[in-house]
Amino acid sequence: MTYELTIEPLGETIAIEDGQTILDACLRNGIYLPYQCNHGLCSTCKLSVIDGEVEHGDASPFALMDYEREEGRALACCATAQSDLTIEADVEVDPDALHLQVQDVVGTIVRFEKLTPDILGVWLEIPGDGLPFQAGQYVNVDIPGCSEPRSFSIASSPANPKVIELHVRKVPGGVGTEWIHKNAALGLELRVTGPLGRFFVRASSKDPIIFLAGGSGLSSPKSMTLDLLDREWSGPITLIHGVRTAEDLYFADDFRQLAIKHNNFRYIPVLSQAAADGLWDGTTGFVHEAAEAIFEGSFKGHKAYLCGPPPMIDACIRSLMKGRLFEKDIFTETFSTKSDGENLAKSPLFKKI
């Protein structure tokens, strides 16, 4: 059965299928609603049901209280329509955001490469016009043996949507990532859903950009950097990539070549566990420490984009705030799954939850 879904304050009406979540229906029609965890845990996608009936699905009782349900509140990522609906959502309008329809495609592996001992680069060819995306977005990949898809940031430039590059870090005990590392082969087909996420560069601002990445969190900054340079964005761009040892670095030579070619781009790799053999003469320590040293403790007037494990992100946020850069100019990329429970991806250092 198909219902009508009207989104206020936009005044747009779209179709929503029986069993389809409000969030999915909106994204597939190019309408962005704020969301984060996509599992009913974080309450980012909370909205008001003005008219009609919904089924709340797996919404956490902590993210959506009983009294809120009685007041007509719902989580877009879990709620499904039981009738025609009218909702009111906190629709954000940003001049730099692209409104791209989410779609399901089948990608074929045309290249795969071991980038580090635990990160596999996978290049998927998408048929037809490809999968248009905005630099910083991610896709969900259906993996055999996994009850839920796995999320991977797109690492390639959006200039070529017919081939998307993913960096798959092998997580010990992780069924999905271990399967990809073991079974990746030329010609292997994988079902992909995207583009997803609201992580993008505010390129209309002329503020200098700082990318702070840890490990496989390099994916989105790589895509964003390539996109900015492809579009000849003229502002200063700094990429600081932190890993444990020299063998954990990847695409370092490519970034060094970009820095030579573009005088507004600089790349700083950082090792937290440099070998004692003296062969590494670069920066050591952690990403936030390197950033403090490079910018002499002052980040005011910049925009920062953070990608990596939660401890790294929180340490970087503390350093940025100490250096007079605050929430409106700090953007983070995080994923959360149902197994994360109530450990939300939003940094506790930010006031908005």
Side-chain angles (χ1 to χ4, degrees):
M1 182 176 291
T2 302
Y3 301 108
E4 287 190 345
L5 170 62
T6 301
I7 303 100
E8 298 293 356
L10 299 178
E12 294 195 34
T13 298
I14 61 175
I16 180 170
E17 302 297 329
D18 187 33
Q20 182 180 26
T21 67
I22 292 173
L23 179 61
D24 187 71
C26 289
L27 294 178
R28 290 181 185 277
N29 281 275
I31 298 172
Y32 175 79
L33 300 183
Y35 72 99
Q36 187 168 314
C37 74
N38 210 14
H39 298 296
L41 300 173
C42 72
S43 79
T44 302
C45 64
K46 192 177 295 181
L47 49 77
S48 296
V49 179
I50 305 302
D51 188 45
E53 299 294 327
V54 299
E55 167 59 47
H56 290 287
D58 294 332
S60 162
F62 297 99
L64 187 67
M65 302 289 187
D66 288 341
Y67 77 88
E68 292 180 303
R69 300 173 194 234
E70 294 172 1
E71 292 175 351
R73 303 283 275 170
L75 300 185
C77 71
C78 296
T80 56
Q82 303 295 296
S83 67
D84 291 342
L85 292 177
T86 299
I87 64 169
E88 186 173 49
D90 183 17
V91 180
E92 297 176 354
V93 178
D94 192 296
D96 292 303
L98 299 183
H99 300 281
L100 302 171
Q101 293 185 343
V102 172
Q103 53 184 310
D104 299 314
V105 297
V106 175
T108 303
I109 295 182
V110 293
R111 176 186 168 193
F112 64 97
E113 177 185 343
K114 197 86 166 178
L115 301 176
T116 75
D118 63 352
I119 297 176
L120 183 71
V122 176
W123 285 257
L124 294 172
E125 185 175 62
I126 311 298
D129 294 330
L131 184 68
F133 67 94
Q134 184 166 14
Q137 290 191 294
Y138 69 92
V139 295
N140 281 342
V141 179
D142 288 340
I143 301 174
C146 296
S147 59
E148 294 184 348
R150 297 299 189 262
S151 300
F152 300 101
S153 297
I154 304 174
S156 47
S157 167
N160 180 17
K162 294 186 177 183
V163 177
I164 61 172
E165 173 188 339
L166 309 178
H167 299 166
V168 182
R169 183 177 70 87
K170 187 176 182 180
V171 179
V175 176
T177 59
E178 288 188 348
W179 189 94
I180 292 179
H181 274 249
K182 181 179 178 181
N183 294 281
L186 296 179
L188 177 67
E189 294 184 342
L190 294 170
R191 186 174 180 272
V192 175
T193 299
L196 297 165
R198 200 67 164 181
F199 189 59
F200 59 91
V201 173
R202 276 63 178 176
S204 62
S205 167
K206 301 305 179 185
D207 292 343
I209 289 172
I210 306 171
F211 291 121
L212 302 177
S216 60
L218 181 66
S219 302
S220 286
K222 179 175 180 287
S223 178
M224 292 166 149
T225 297
L226 294 175
D227 183 45
L228 288 169
L229 297 179
D230 285 345
R231 293 190 285 145
E232 298 183 348
W233 194 79
S234 59
I237 305 168
T238 301
L239 168 61
I240 304 176
H241 182 209
V243 295
R244 290 173 307 227
T245 67
E247 67 175 357
D248 296 315
L249 281 176
Y250 61 106
F251 289 116
D253 289 340
D254 291 357
F255 286 121
R256 291 186 180 108
Q257 288 302 312
L258 284 174
I260 292 172
K261 184 178 179 181
H262 301 273
N263 58 17
N264 64 322
F265 172 67
R266 59 176 170 173
Y267 163 67
I268 299 97
V270 183
L271 303 188
S272 62
Q273 299 175 17
D277 54 18
L279 296 179
W280 177 256
D281 60 357
T283 304
T284 58
F286 294 101
V287 172
H288 67 285
E289 295 170 337
E292 288 184 6
I294 292 164
F295 290 92
E296 298 180 345
S298 176
F299 303 101
K300 188 176 180 179
H302 291 76
K303 279 189 168 45
Y305 300 84
L306 284 54
C307 313
M312 184 219 90
I313 287 179
D314 281 347
C316 288
I317 290 174
R318 291 181 189 278
S319 290
L320 293 170
M321 287 184 163
K322 186 172 65 174
R324 311 305 295 169
L325 194 70
F326 300 108
E327 184 173 356
K328 69 181 182 66
D329 294 315
I330 302 173
F331 308 92
T332 65
E333 177 189 53
T334 48
F335 298 128
S336 60
T337 66
K338 285 186 177 180
S339 63
D340 293 323
E342 301 305 322
N343 295 321
L344 305 182
K346 183 77 170 179
S347 172
L349 299 170
F350 287 165
K351 287 187 269 187
K352 297 176 186 175
I353 298 297

